[in-house]
Amino acid sequence: MGEAKRRRQLDTNFGKPWWQKNNKHVQLDVEPDYSHFVNLYLSQGTAGLIPAIHDWLIETGQIYQGEHPTILMNRVNYIGMTVYDIASKQTQTLASKDLKLGCFTLKVPIEPDDFGNYQPVLNNRELATEAMRLINTGFFDTAITFLINKDGDAIGTLRKYGIFLYMGTNSDLEIIDAACGLINWKPLEVTTYAGEPRNSLNTLIEKTFRPQADKIQKFRVEQKGANKFPCLSLLCLIENKAGMAVCEFRRHYTVQGGTQLIIPGFSSTAENIVTSYPAMDILGKPRNIPAIRGFSQKSQN
């Protein structure tokens, strides 16, 4: 008997992503209308089901700011697998029951020194540092995870889109506004927000990154292998609303690059590897923690 088969017989959770391992403990504040989801799945398949589950979680206030992204994945997986089980009793023909979801958890802090002499950071170091402080808290992790799974195809989404992180400050450099969304590469334009749409931000975001679109894509392919493997590109923008200063910087994460971006089938599932990471508050704490409109403020931690 092969080692993998032997371990799977001993542990039914062996080899599964961690958000599929503890579904028995998932609690939902609102019970789904499973008949609706089953009918949707039988007519549109997983591609129709997963986006609908995400929309329903937003509408019922069950995506919480500040919780770990894997909690969101637990909810999506629990509902999805329940739908599959119900549907399996109604039909003999079902698509794959393996949800290809991705999860992002920032584990290595971003620092100004990472960007060397990059002028937007060098010339706006204090503004950039405040943005990095907020990002390093994991503030955007759940929103990023929500977005890469929004269409039920994390791999396809990461191929077609980048993710922008917007932060706006007051005159004291307190971040009082935040948004996160998908940005299409060609043409470069904002397509989807996590939570409430913030279309008034589109012009600034697109004006900032559009001149660099080809350069970003070239870097993704040549340096990160984005044409072969999933690559999460974060386009970060912080705006001083009082002083009219704008700073941008970018980070890219691949499934081969560690344990921050996880997609089953691409990422290592080894759980006995111990890795030492720098402290996430290496730059200190942000002056203020804002809100992402449309996400509940109730913490589930």
Side-chain angles (χ1 to χ4, degrees):
M1 180 185 298
E3 177 64 14
K5 185 175 181 181
R6 185 187 67 82
R7 293 187 62 181
R8 193 171 292 109
Q9 288 183 348
L10 294 174
D11 178 9
T12 56
N13 285 319
F14 174 72
K16 293 182 180 180
W18 61 74
W19 58 80
Q20 293 184 9
K21 295 184 178 181
N22 297 303
N23 286 334
K24 293 180 180 179
H25 304 292
V26 172
Q27 292 184 340
L28 298 171
D29 296 334
V30 179
E31 186 70 11
D33 179 358
Y34 282 112
S35 61
H36 166 71
F37 282 137
V38 168
N39 290 334
L40 182 65
Y41 170 68
L42 292 176
S43 62
Q44 299 182 26
T46 299
L49 174 64
I50 301 304
I53 292 175
H54 279 92
D55 289 343
W56 179 80
L57 288 171
I58 283 281
E59 292 168 3
T60 57
Q62 297 186 83
I63 296 183
Y64 300 99
Q65 185 173 312
E67 70 180 2
H68 197 279
T70 55
I71 299 177
L72 169 61
M73 291 297 91
N74 279 336
R75 293 193 190 103
V76 174
N77 188 70
Y78 175 81
I79 297 171
M81 295 307 294
T82 301
V83 170
Y84 290 150
D85 288 342
I86 297 173
S88 67
K89 299 174 183 177
Q90 300 182 18
T91 179
Q92 297 295 319
T93 305
L94 288 178
S96 170
K97 293 171 60 175
D98 186 14
L99 299 183
K100 296 298 184 182
L101 304 178
C103 186
F104 177 74
T105 308
L106 186 68
K107 296 182 179 179
V108 179
I110 304 174
E111 303 178 64
D113 291 344
D114 296 343
F115 298 88
N117 294 323
Y118 187 59
Q119 292 301 309
V121 173
L122 199 63
N123 296 338
N124 299 278
R125 188 178 180 91
E126 189 173 6
L127 194 60
T129 300
E130 190 62 20
M132 294 173 191
R133 288 182 183 129
L134 181 64
I135 295 169
N136 290 346
T137 66
F139 173 82
F140 287 104
D141 288 3
T142 295
I144 293 170
T145 297
F146 169 82
L147 287 166
I148 64 178
N149 296 301
K150 185 66 172 64
D151 294 330
D153 179 9
I155 298 169
T157 295
L158 293 174
R159 183 179 299 114
K160 294 185 293 185
Y161 303 103
I163 290 182
F164 67 84
L165 310 181
Y166 168 84
M167 291 151 278
T169 80
N170 58 19
S171 58
D172 296 324
L173 295 189
E174 297 174 326
I175 300 176
I176 57 175
D177 191 14
C180 179
L182 295 176
I183 189 163
N184 187 64
W185 293 120
K186 291 184 179 181
L188 190 139
E189 59 185 11
V190 174
T191 62
T192 305
Y193 281 86
E196 179 182 321
R198 304 289 307 282
N199 295 333
S200 62
L201 301 175
N202 291 5
T203 299
L204 174 62
I205 295 167
E206 293 169 358
K207 180 181 177 181
T208 300
F209 294 109
R210 186 169 289 152
Q212 307 177 68
D214 290 341
K215 180 180 177 181
I216 295 172
Q217 277 290 65
K218 183 178 180 181
F219 181 86
R220 278 168 46 86
V221 172
E222 295 183 357
Q223 301 297 321
K224 295 297 181 178
N227 57 328
K228 299 178 181 178
F229 305 104
C231 175
L232 168 63
S233 294
L234 297 183
L235 312 185
C236 308
L237 187 158
I238 182 167
E239 172 193 24
N240 183 335
K241 292 175 176 288
M244 304 304 292
V246 173
C247 174
E248 63 85 13
F249 52 91
R250 306 178 295 276
R251 292 303 294 265
H252 306 270
Y253 301 88
T254 66
V255 288
Q256 284 77 26
T259 59
Q260 298 183 99
L261 175 63
I262 302 294
I263 298 178
F266 288 90
S267 308
S268 171
T269 57
E271 299 179 356
N272 58 347
I273 299 177
V274 178
T275 304
S276 177
Y277 297 108
M280 296 304 293
D281 60 353
I282 193 169
L283 298 176
K285 298 184 182 301
R287 293 175 172 87
N288 182 58
I289 302 294
I292 295 178
R293 299 181 192 178
F295 279 16
S296 173
Q297 299 302 298
K298 176 185 175 182
S299 174
Q300 294 295 290
N301 291 335

Coordinates of all heavy atoms in Angstrom, one line a residue, residues 119-187:
Q119 N 11.2 55.3 -6.4 CA 10.9 56.7 -6.0 C 9.5 56.9 -5.4 O 9.4 57.7 -4.4 CB 11.0 57.5 -7.3 CG 12.4 57.6 -7.9 CD 13.3 58.3 -6.9 OE1 13.1 59.3 -6.3 NE2 14.4 57.6 -6.6
P120 N 8.4 56.3 -5.8 CA 7.1 56.5 -5.1 C 7.2 56.2 -3.6 O 6.5 56.9 -2.8 CB 6.2 55.6 -5.8 CG 6.7 55.5 -7.2 CD 8.2 55.5 -7.0
V121 N 8.0 55.2 -3.2 CA 8.1 54.9 -1.8 C 9.1 55.8 -1.2 O 8.9 56.3 0.0 CB 8.5 53.4 -1.6 CG1 8.8 53.1 -0.2 CG2 7.3 52.5 -2.1
L122 N 10.2 56.0 -1.8 CA 11.3 56.8 -1.3 C 10.9 58.2 -1.0 O 11.2 58.8 0.0 CB 12.5 56.8 -2.3 CG 13.9 57.2 -1.7 CD1 14.3 56.2 -0.7 CD2 14.9 57.3 -2.9
N123 N 10.1 58.8 -1.9 CA 9.6 60.1 -1.8 C 8.4 60.3 -0.9 O 8.1 61.5 -0.5 CB 9.3 60.7 -3.2 CG 10.5 60.8 -4.1 OD1 11.6 60.8 -3.7 ND2 10.2 60.8 -5.4
N124 N 7.8 59.2 -0.5 CA 6.6 59.3 0.4 C 6.7 58.2 1.4 O 5.8 57.5 1.7 CB 5.3 59.0 -0.5 CG 5.1 60.1 -1.5 OD1 4.6 61.2 -1.3 ND2 5.5 59.7 -2.8
R125 N 7.9 58.1 2.1 CA 8.2 57.0 3.0 C 7.2 56.9 4.1 O 6.8 55.9 4.5 CB 9.6 57.1 3.5 CG 10.1 55.9 4.3 CD 11.5 56.0 4.7 NE 11.9 54.9 5.5 CZ 12.5 53.8 5.0 NH1 12.7 53.7 3.7 NH2 12.9 52.8 5.7
E126 N 6.9 58.1 4.7 CA 6.0 58.0 5.9 C 4.6 57.5 5.5 O 3.9 56.8 6.2 CB 5.9 59.4 6.5 CG 5.1 59.4 7.8 CD 5.2 60.7 8.6 OE1 5.7 61.7 8.0 OE2 4.7 60.8 9.7
L127 N 4.1 58.0 4.3 CA 2.8 57.6 3.8 C 2.8 56.1 3.5 O 1.9 55.3 3.8 CB 2.5 58.4 2.6 CG 1.0 58.4 2.1 CD1 0.1 58.9 3.1 CD2 0.9 59.2 0.8
A128 N 3.9 55.6 2.8 CA 4.1 54.2 2.4 C 4.1 53.3 3.7 O 3.5 52.3 3.7 CB 5.3 54.0 1.6
T129 N 4.9 53.8 4.7 CA 5.0 53.0 5.9 C 3.7 52.8 6.6 O 3.4 51.7 7.1 CB 6.0 53.8 6.9 OG1 7.3 53.9 6.3 CG2 6.1 53.0 8.2
E130 N 2.8 53.9 6.6 CA 1.5 53.7 7.3 C 0.7 52.7 6.5 O 0.0 51.9 7.2 CB 0.8 55.1 7.3 CG -0.5 55.1 8.2 CD -0.2 54.7 9.6 OE1 1.0 54.9 10.1 OE2 -1.2 54.3 10.3
A131 N 0.7 52.7 5.2 CA 0.0 51.7 4.4 C 0.5 50.3 4.7 O -0.3 49.4 4.9 CB 0.2 52.0 2.9
M132 N 1.8 50.1 4.8 CA 2.4 48.8 5.1 C 2.0 48.3 6.5 O 1.8 47.1 6.7 CB 3.9 48.9 4.9 CG 4.3 49.1 3.5 SD 6.1 49.4 3.3 CE 6.1 50.0 1.6
R133 N 1.9 49.3 7.5 CA 1.5 48.9 8.8 C 0.1 48.3 8.8 O -0.1 47.2 9.4 CB 1.5 50.1 9.7 CG 2.9 50.6 10.1 CD 2.8 51.8 11.1 NE 4.1 52.4 11.4 CZ 4.4 53.7 11.3 NH1 3.5 54.5 10.9 NH2 5.6 54.1 11.6
L134 N -0.8 48.9 8.0 CA -2.1 48.4 8.0 C -2.2 47.0 7.2 O -2.8 46.1 7.7 CB -3.1 49.4 7.3 CG -4.5 48.9 7.1 CD1 -5.2 48.8 8.5 CD2 -5.3 49.9 6.3
I135 N -1.5 46.9 6.1 CA -1.5 45.7 5.4 C -0.9 44.6 6.2 O -1.4 43.4 6.2 CB -0.6 45.8 4.1 CG1 -1.3 46.8 3.1 CG2 -0.5 44.5 3.4 CD1 -0.5 47.3 2.0
N136 N 0.2 44.9 7.0 CA 0.8 43.8 7.8 C 0.0 43.3 8.9 O 0.3 42.2 9.4 CB 2.1 44.4 8.4 CG 3.2 44.6 7.3 OD1 3.1 44.1 6.2 ND2 4.3 45.4 7.7
T137 N -1.1 44.0 9.3 CA -2.0 43.5 10.3 C -2.8 42.3 9.8 O -3.5 41.7 10.6 CB -2.9 44.6 10.9 OG1 -3.8 45.0 9.8 CG2 -2.2 45.8 11.4
G138 N -2.8 42.1 8.5 CA -3.7 41.1 7.9 C -5.1 41.7 7.6 O -6.0 41.0 7.2
F139 N -5.2 43.0 7.6 CA -6.5 43.7 7.5 C -7.2 43.3 6.1 O -8.4 43.2 6.1 CB -6.2 45.2 7.5 CG -7.4 46.1 7.2 CD1 -8.4 46.4 8.1 CD2 -7.6 46.6 5.9 CE1 -9.5 47.1 7.8 CE2 -8.7 47.4 5.6 CZ -9.7 47.7 6.5
F140 N -6.4 43.2 5.1 CA -7.0 42.9 3.8 C -7.1 41.4 3.4 O -7.6 41.1 2.4 CB -6.1 43.6 2.7 CG -6.3 45.1 2.6 CD1 -5.3 45.9 3.1 CD2 -7.4 45.7 2.1 CE1 -5.4 47.3 3.0 CE2 -7.6 47.1 2.0 CZ -6.5 47.9 2.5
D141 N -6.5 40.5 4.3 CA -6.4 39.1 3.9 C -7.8 38.5 3.5 O -7.9 37.7 2.5 CB -5.8 38.3 5.0 CG -4.3 38.6 5.2 OD1 -3.8 39.4 4.5 OD2 -3.7 38.0 6.1
T142 N -8.8 38.7 4.3 CA -10.1 38.1 4.1 C -10.7 38.7 2.8 O -11.3 38.0 2.0 CB -11.1 38.4 5.2 OG1 -10.6 37.7 6.4 CG2 -12.5 37.9 4.9
A143 N -10.6 40.0 2.5 CA -11.1 40.6 1.3 C -10.4 40.1 0.1 O -11.0 39.8 -0.9 CB -10.9 42.2 1.4
I144 N -9.1 39.9 0.2 CA -8.3 39.3 -0.9 C -8.8 37.9 -1.2 O -9.0 37.5 -2.3 CB -6.8 39.3 -0.6 CG1 -6.3 40.8 -0.5 CG2 -6.0 38.5 -1.6 CD1 -4.9 40.9 0.0
T145 N -8.9 37.1 -0.1 CA -9.4 35.7 -0.3 C -10.8 35.7 -0.9 O -11.1 34.8 -1.8 CB -9.4 35.0 1.1 OG1 -8.1 34.9 1.6 CG2 -10.0 33.6 1.0
F146 N -11.7 36.6 -0.5 CA -13.0 36.7 -1.1 C -12.9 36.9 -2.6 O -13.6 36.3 -3.4 CB -13.8 37.8 -0.4 CG -15.1 38.2 -1.0 CD1 -16.2 37.5 -0.8 CD2 -15.1 39.3 -1.9 CE1 -17.4 37.8 -1.4 CE2 -16.3 39.6 -2.5 CZ -17.5 38.9 -2.3
L147 N -12.1 37.9 -3.0 CA -12.0 38.3 -4.4 C -11.4 37.2 -5.3 O -11.9 37.0 -6.4 CB -11.1 39.5 -4.5 CG -11.8 40.8 -4.0 CD1 -10.8 41.9 -3.9 CD2 -12.9 41.2 -4.9
I148 N -10.4 36.5 -4.8 CA -9.8 35.5 -5.7 C -10.7 34.3 -5.9 O -10.6 33.5 -6.9 CB -8.4 35.0 -5.2 CG1 -8.5 34.3 -3.9 CG2 -7.4 36.2 -5.1 CD1 -7.1 33.8 -3.4
N149 N -11.7 34.1 -5.0 CA -12.7 33.0 -5.2 C -14.0 33.5 -5.7 O -15.0 32.7 -5.8 CB -12.9 32.3 -3.8 CG -11.6 31.6 -3.3 OD1 -11.0 30.8 -4.0 ND2 -11.1 32.0 -2.2
K150 N -14.2 34.8 -6.0 CA -15.5 35.3 -6.3 C -16.1 34.6 -7.5 O -17.4 34.5 -7.5 CB -15.3 36.8 -6.6 CG -16.6 37.6 -6.9 CD -17.4 37.7 -5.6 CE -18.6 38.6 -5.8 NZ -19.6 38.1 -6.8
D151 N -15.4 34.2 -8.5 CA -16.0 33.6 -9.6 C -15.9 32.0 -9.6 O -16.2 31.4 -10.6 CB -15.3 34.1 -10.9 CG -15.6 35.5 -11.2 OD1 -16.7 36.0 -10.8 OD2 -14.7 36.2 -11.8
G152 N -15.5 31.5 -8.4 CA -15.4 30.0 -8.3 C -14.2 29.4 -9.0 O -14.2 28.2 -9.1
D153 N -13.3 30.2 -9.4 CA -12.1 29.7 -10.2 C -10.9 30.6 -9.8 O -10.6 31.6 -10.5 CB -12.4 29.8 -11.7 CG -11.2 29.3 -12.5 OD1 -10.2 28.8 -11.9 OD2 -11.2 29.5 -13.7
A154 N -10.2 30.3 -8.7 CA -9.1 31.1 -8.2 C -8.0 31.2 -9.2 O -7.4 32.2 -9.4 CB -8.6 30.5 -6.9
I155 N -7.7 30.0 -9.9 CA -6.6 30.0 -10.9 C -6.9 31.0 -12.1 O -6.1 31.8 -12.5 CB -6.4 28.6 -11.4 CG1 -6.0 27.7 -10.2 CG2 -5.3 28.5 -12.5 CD1 -6.0 26.2 -10.6
G156 N -8.2 30.9 -12.6 CA -8.5 31.8 -13.7 C -8.6 33.2 -13.3 O -8.2 34.1 -14.1
T157 N -9.0 33.5 -12.1 CA -9.1 34.9 -11.6 C -7.7 35.5 -11.5 O -7.5 36.6 -11.9 CB -9.8 34.9 -10.2 OG1 -11.2 34.5 -10.4 CG2 -9.8 36.3 -9.7
L158 N -6.8 34.7 -11.0 CA -5.4 35.2 -10.8 C -4.7 35.4 -12.1 O -3.7 36.2 -12.2 CB -4.6 34.3 -9.9 CG -5.1 34.3 -8.4 CD1 -4.3 33.3 -7.6 CD2 -4.9 35.7 -7.8
R159 N -5.1 34.7 -13.1 CA -4.6 34.9 -14.5 C -5.1 36.2 -15.1 O -4.3 36.9 -15.8 CB -4.9 33.7 -15.3 CG -4.2 33.7 -16.7 CD -4.6 32.5 -17.5 NE -4.1 31.3 -16.9 CZ -4.9 30.3 -16.4 NH1 -6.2 30.5 -16.5 NH2 -4.4 29.2 -15.9
K160 N -6.3 36.5 -14.9 CA -6.9 37.6 -15.6 C -6.9 38.9 -14.8 O -6.9 40.0 -15.4 CB -8.4 37.3 -15.9 CG -8.6 36.1 -16.9 CD -10.1 36.0 -17.2 CE -10.9 35.5 -16.0 NZ -12.3 35.2 -16.4
Y161 N -6.7 38.8 -13.5 CA -6.9 40.0 -12.7 C -5.7 40.2 -11.7 O -5.1 39.2 -11.3 CB -8.2 40.0 -11.9 CG -9.4 39.8 -12.7 CD1 -10.1 38.6 -12.8 CD2 -10.0 40.9 -13.4 CE1 -11.3 38.5 -13.5 CE2 -11.1 40.8 -14.1 CZ -11.8 39.6 -14.2 OH -12.9 39.4 -14.9
G162 N -5.5 41.5 -11.4 CA -4.7 41.8 -10.2 C -5.7 42.2 -9.1 O -6.9 42.3 -9.3
I163 N -5.2 42.5 -7.9 CA -6.0 43.0 -6.8 C -5.4 44.3 -6.3 O -4.2 44.4 -6.0 CB -6.1 42.0 -5.7 CG1 -6.9 40.8 -6.1 CG2 -6.7 42.6 -4.4 CD1 -7.1 39.7 -5.1
F164 N -6.2 45.3 -6.3 CA -5.7 46.6 -5.8 C -6.2 46.8 -4.3 O -7.2 46.3 -3.9 CB -6.2 47.8 -6.6 CG -7.7 48.0 -6.5 CD1 -8.3 48.7 -5.5 CD2 -8.6 47.5 -7.5 CE1 -9.7 49.0 -5.4 CE2 -9.9 47.7 -7.4 CZ -10.5 48.4 -6.4
L165 N -5.3 47.4 -3.5 CA -5.6 47.8 -2.2 C -5.6 49.3 -2.1 O -4.5 49.9 -2.4 CB -4.6 47.2 -1.2 CG -4.3 45.7 -1.3 CD1 -3.3 45.3 -0.2 CD2 -5.5 44.9 -1.2
Y166 N -6.7 49.9 -1.8 CA -6.7 51.4 -1.7 C -6.8 51.8 -0.2 O -7.6 51.2 0.6 CB -7.9 52.0 -2.4 CG -8.2 53.4 -2.1 CD1 -7.5 54.4 -2.8 CD2 -9.1 53.8 -1.1 CE1 -7.7 55.8 -2.5 CE2 -9.3 55.1 -0.8 CZ -8.5 56.1 -1.4 OH -8.7 57.4 -1.1
M167 N -6.0 52.8 0.2 CA -6.1 53.4 1.5 C -6.1 54.9 1.4 O -5.3 55.5 0.6 CB -4.9 52.9 2.3 CG -4.9 51.5 2.7 SD -3.3 50.7 2.9 CE -2.9 50.4 1.1
G168 N -6.9 55.6 2.1 CA -7.0 57.1 2.1 C -6.8 57.6 3.6 O -7.4 57.0 4.5
T169 N -5.9 58.6 3.7 CA -5.6 59.1 5.0 C -6.1 60.6 5.2 O -6.4 61.3 4.2 CB -4.1 59.1 5.3 OG1 -3.5 60.3 4.7 CG2 -3.5 57.9 4.8
N170 N -6.2 61.0 6.5 CA -6.5 62.4 6.8 C -5.1 63.1 6.9 O -4.1 62.6 6.6 CB -7.3 62.5 8.0 CG -6.7 61.9 9.2 OD1 -5.5 61.7 9.3 ND2 -7.5 61.6 10.3
S171 N -5.2 64.4 7.4 CA -3.9 65.2 7.5 C -3.0 64.6 8.5 O -1.8 64.9 8.5 CB -4.3 66.6 7.8 OG -5.0 66.7 9.0
D172 N -3.5 63.8 9.4 CA -2.6 63.2 10.5 C -2.1 61.8 10.0 O -1.5 61.1 10.9 CB -3.4 63.1 11.8 CG -3.8 64.4 12.4 OD1 -3.0 65.4 12.2 OD2 -4.9 64.5 12.9
L173 N -2.3 61.5 8.8 CA -1.9 60.2 8.2 C -2.6 59.0 8.9 O -2.0 57.9 8.9 CB -0.3 60.0 8.3 CG 0.5 61.0 7.4 CD1 1.9 60.6 7.4 CD2 -0.1 61.1 6.0
E174 N -3.7 59.3 9.4 CA -4.6 58.1 9.9 C -5.4 57.6 8.7 O -6.0 58.4 8.0 CB -5.6 58.6 11.0 CG -4.9 59.1 12.2 CD -5.9 59.7 13.2 OE1 -6.9 60.3 12.7 OE2 -5.7 59.6 14.4
I175 N -5.3 56.3 8.5 CA -6.0 55.7 7.4 C -7.5 55.7 7.8 O -7.9 54.9 8.7 CB -5.5 54.3 7.0 CG1 -4.0 54.5 6.6 CG2 -6.3 53.7 5.9 CD1 -3.4 53.1 6.3
I176 N -8.3 56.5 7.1 CA -9.7 56.6 7.4 C -10.6 55.9 6.4 O -11.9 55.9 6.6 CB -10.1 58.0 7.6 CG1 -9.8 58.8 6.4 CG2 -9.4 58.6 8.8 CD1 -10.3 60.3 6.4
D177 N -10.1 55.4 5.3 CA -10.8 54.8 4.2 C -10.1 53.7 3.6 O -8.8 53.8 3.5 CB -11.2 55.9 3.2 CG -12.2 55.4 2.2 OD1 -12.9 54.4 2.4 OD2 -12.3 56.1 1.1
A178 N -10.7 52.6 3.3 CA -10.0 51.5 2.6 C -11.0 50.8 1.7 O -12.2 50.7 1.9 CB -9.5 50.5 3.7
A179 N -10.4 50.2 0.6 CA -11.2 49.5 -0.3 C -10.2 48.5 -1.0 O -9.0 48.6 -1.0 CB -11.8 50.4 -1.4
C180 N -10.9 47.4 -1.6 CA -10.1 46.3 -2.2 C -10.9 45.8 -3.3 O -12.1 45.7 -3.2 CB -9.8 45.3 -1.1 SG -8.9 43.8 -1.7
G181 N -10.3 45.5 -4.4 CA -11.0 45.0 -5.6 C -10.2 44.3 -6.6 O -8.9 44.3 -6.6
L182 N -10.8 43.8 -7.7 CA -10.2 43.2 -8.8 C -9.9 44.3 -9.9 O -10.8 45.1 -10.1 CB -11.0 42.1 -9.4 CG -11.3 40.9 -8.5 CD1 -12.2 39.9 -9.3 CD2 -10.0 40.1 -8.2
I183 N -8.8 44.2 -10.5 CA -8.5 45.1 -11.6 C -8.0 44.3 -12.8 O -7.1 43.4 -12.7 CB -7.4 46.1 -11.2 CG1 -7.2 47.2 -12.2 CG2 -6.0 45.4 -10.8 CD1 -6.4 48.4 -11.7
N184 N -8.7 44.5 -13.9 CA -8.5 43.7 -15.1 C -7.2 44.2 -15.7 O -6.8 45.4 -15.7 CB -9.6 43.9 -16.1 CG -9.5 43.1 -17.4 OD1 -9.6 41.9 -17.3 ND2 -9.3 43.7 -18.5
W185 N -6.4 43.3 -16.4 CA -5.1 43.7 -17.0 C -5.3 44.4 -18.3 O -4.6 45.4 -18.6 CB -4.2 42.5 -17.1 CG -3.8 41.9 -15.8 CD1 -4.0 40.6 -15.3 CD2 -3.0 42.5 -14.7 NE1 -3.5 40.4 -14.1 CE2 -2.9 41.6 -13.7 CE3 -2.5 43.8 -14.6 CZ2 -2.2 41.9 -12.5 CZ3 -1.8 44.1 -13.4 CH2 -1.7 43.2 -12.4
K186 N -6.1 43.8 -19.2 CA -6.2 44.4 -20.5 C -7.6 44.4 -20.9 O -8.3 43.4 -21.2 CB -5.4 43.5 -21.5 CG -3.9 43.5 -21.4 CD -3.2 42.7 -22.4 CE -1.7 42.8 -22.3 NZ -1.0 42.0 -23.3
P187 N -8.2 45.7 -21.0 CA -7.5 46.9 -20.6 C -7.5 47.1 -19.1 O -8.3 46.4 -18.4 CB -8.5 48.0 -21.2 CG -9.8 47.3 -21.2 CD -9.5 45.9 -21.6

